């Protein structure tokens, strides 16, 4: 199975039941709070994907694709937002996607998005695009787990879904990784090219002939989020830090490690 066949197998990203319920409650009002809507859509990869897809389908200009959630919320009416939420597939962490903990996936994606936004801000890059790419960068993992359900448990035993080496493992076994599937989804959803390229080259951002700095930003955000997930010690952090990518951006390991989203420990630890 190649990346295109994987995309055809399943393209629906499950959403957290709690977030769907909260959005439905918020959208009962004729004039819901935009800040509240932005926070809720921004906490769930599935809902964010649906929102951006809907907004770009309503965009009249191919040159001005919708980059982020605030722009999408400004473009769509309340009635259209209700339809977006109503179309969400509600996921249950234990059953929706074989071999993948959806609760952890939702939290991990949000943390990566926050890290990407923070790093982009330091570098004066587009923080909105960075957040979007971070939130959606691993949606391909959901699709792969569904398309490869027959053998995904064996692969997960070798390398868990949130391990640092996951992309490389998938590349060796499938010939592609969740990065390419995520980028393929973003392209089908008519997301801006900068977001597609950021997601596509997240594993090897320096390999792209037309170097996209946001891909390097996402690479560092993914490393930081997964390193925290694995609870690496100082030596392990130093050994695994993608120094060449950091050097290209002018970011050292200390600067990257200092980027701590709100509620870091509750997101990634038991303490």
């Amino acid at each position: 199975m190649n990346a295109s066949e994987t995309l055809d197998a399943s393209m629906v990203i499950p959403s957290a039941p709690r977030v769907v319920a909260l959005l439905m409650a918020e959208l009962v009002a004729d004039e819901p709070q935009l800040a509240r809507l932005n926070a809720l859509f921004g906490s769930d990869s599935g809902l964010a994907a649906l929102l951006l897809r809907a907004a770009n389908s309503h965009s009249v200009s191919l040159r001005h694709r919708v980059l982020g959630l605030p722009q999408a919320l400004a473009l769509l009416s309340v009635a259209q937002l209700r339809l977006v939420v109503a179309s969400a597939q509600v996921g249950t962490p234990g059953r929706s996607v074989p071999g993948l903990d959806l609760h952890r996936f939702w939290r991990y994606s949000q943390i990566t998005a926050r890290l990407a936004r923070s790093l982009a801000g330091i570098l004066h890059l587009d923080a909105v695009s960075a957040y979007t790419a971070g939130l959606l960068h691993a949606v391909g993992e959901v699709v792969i787990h569904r398309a490869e359900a027959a053998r995904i448990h064996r692969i997960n035993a070798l390398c868990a879904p949130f391990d640092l080496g996951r992309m490389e493992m998938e590349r060796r076994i499938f010939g592609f990784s969740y990065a390419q599937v995520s980028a393929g989804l973003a392209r089908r959803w008519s997301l801006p090219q900068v977001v597609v390229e950021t997601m596509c080259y997240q594993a090897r951002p320096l390999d792209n002939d037309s170097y996209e700095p946001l891909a390097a930003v996402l690479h560092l955000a993914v490393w930081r989020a997964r390193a925290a997930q694995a609870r690496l010690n100082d030596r392990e952090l130093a050994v695994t830090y993608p120094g060449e990518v950091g050097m290209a951006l002018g970011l050292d390991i200390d600067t990257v490690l200092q980027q701590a989203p709100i509620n870091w420990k509750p997101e990634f630890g038991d303490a």
Side-chain angles (χ1 to χ4, degrees):
M1 181 174 284
N2 58 35
S4 296
E5 291 170 337
T6 302
L7 280 173
D8 291 336
S10 173
M11 297 203 317
V12 180
I13 310 303
S15 297
R18 176 178 176 274
V19 180
V20 172
L22 289 172
L23 275 170
M24 285 181 170
E26 185 66 32
L27 288 168
V28 168
D30 292 331
E31 295 184 8
Q33 297 181 26
L34 285 179
R36 176 71 168 161
L37 293 177
N38 186 63
L40 288 170
F41 274 108
S43 68
D44 187 286
S45 300
L47 286 163
L50 288 173
L51 176 63
L52 290 167
R53 185 178 186 178
N56 278 299
S57 71
H58 285 80
S59 178
V60 296
S61 173
L62 292 175
R63 294 184 178 180
H64 298 92
R65 289 295 185 186
V66 178
L67 284 167
L69 304 182
Q71 187 182 358
L73 290 170
L75 181 64
L76 299 178
S77 68
V78 174
Q80 288 170 327
L81 292 176
R82 289 171 184 151
L83 289 175
V84 168
V85 177
S87 68
Q89 181 189 85
V90 177
T92 54
R95 287 187 244 174
S96 294
V97 182
L100 186 66
D101 183 336
L102 280 179
H103 186 57
R104 179 173 289 183
F105 171 78
W106 292 320
R107 291 187 300 168
Y108 160 78
S109 298
Q110 187 180 25
I111 286 295
T112 305
R114 291 174 179 174
L115 286 165
R117 179 176 60 192
S118 180
L119 292 170
I122 292 174
L123 298 168
H124 305 291
L125 298 174
D126 186 351
V128 173
S129 295
Y131 190 92
T132 298
L135 192 62
L136 301 180
H137 82 281
V139 290
E141 193 67 77
V142 176
V143 176
I144 289 176
H145 271 70
R146 283 182 161 173
E148 293 288 345
R151 56 175 174 163
I152 203 68
H153 292 290
R154 180 174 61 84
I155 296 169
N156 285 347
L158 297 172
C159 184
F162 303 102
D163 282 358
L164 280 169
R166 182 68 185 200
M167 274 192 278
E168 207 53 49
M169 172 67 75
E170 290 180 354
R171 196 190 307 275
R172 289 202 302 269
I173 294 175
F174 301 127
F176 60 90
S177 74
Y178 69 79
Q180 284 70 52
V181 180
S182 298
L185 287 171
R187 188 176 291 110
R188 292 190 179 199
W189 295 334
S190 300
L191 268 60
Q193 187 62 23
V194 64
V195 175
V196 174
E197 287 198 7
T198 296
M199 294 163 69
C200 184
Y201 291 98
Q202 60 179 291
R204 299 174 179 175
L206 304 183
D207 288 354
N208 188 3
D209 291 336
S210 56
Y211 167 63
E212 174 51 63
L214 284 178
V217 165
L218 179 56
H219 184 91
L220 293 182
V222 169
W223 169 79
R224 182 65 184 108
R226 291 178 183 246
Q229 172 76 12
R231 301 188 182 188
L232 300 187
N233 58 36
D234 289 345
R235 180 182 176 282
E236 291 167 331
L237 288 170
V239 169
T240 60
Y241 179 66
E244 187 178 11
V245 176
M247 187 178 299
L249 291 173
L251 294 174
D252 58 28
I253 186 172
D254 291 333
T255 302
V256 177
L257 291 177
Q258 286 168 7
Q259 310 313 307
I262 299 171
N263 296 328
W264 180 271
K265 286 187 177 181
E267 294 289 351
F268 283 104
D270 300 325

